[in-house]
Amino acid sequence: MSERRGGASPAHRYALHQEVRLFATRFSGARASETGVYRITRLMPFDERGEPSYRVEGKGSGVRAVRESEIERRVSPLLA
């Protein structure tokens, strides 16, 4: 089953405004603990490794750029 949704570029697994969970980060220190639910606010170009990237925003966490490998689809607690 594909995770692609309407509105997503064929090269991006996740769509604009989709909620995702940040589960890994390339930052260290205080930002490394900023996991949780984020909303995709922009589909960004591929990074230097050829991986799709996104601009995401979390409640109280601000806006940040992440690679596709750093996020996963958010599953509603009601469906888990």
Side-chain angles (χ1 to χ4, degrees):
M1 181 172 167
S2 174
E3 292 185 71
R4 292 183 200 279
R5 302 179 112 205
S9 162
H12 286 81
R13 178 178 292 167
Y14 305 105
L16 192 61
H17 306 296
Q18 184 175 357
E19 289 188 342
V20 295
R21 182 167 300 280
L22 180 67
F23 68 91
T25 182
R26 63 187 180 273
F27 296 104
S28 60
R31 291 200 69 177
S33 64
E34 290 183 10
T35 60
V37 176
Y38 288 77
R39 182 175 301 270
I40 296 174
T41 59
R42 182 175 176 203
L43 302 180
M44 297 175 57
F46 284 51
D47 68 7
E48 66 279 354
R49 298 183 322 189
E51 184 175 358
S53 57
Y54 302 83
R55 178 87 50 203
V56 297
E57 184 173 3
K59 288 185 180 178
S61 301
V63 177
R64 64 193 301 171
V66 296
R67 291 185 174 115
E68 195 165 271
S69 62
E70 297 174 313
I71 57 177
E72 63 186 358
R73 184 174 58 94
R74 178 179 182 234
V75 177
S76 169
L78 298 175
L79 300 176

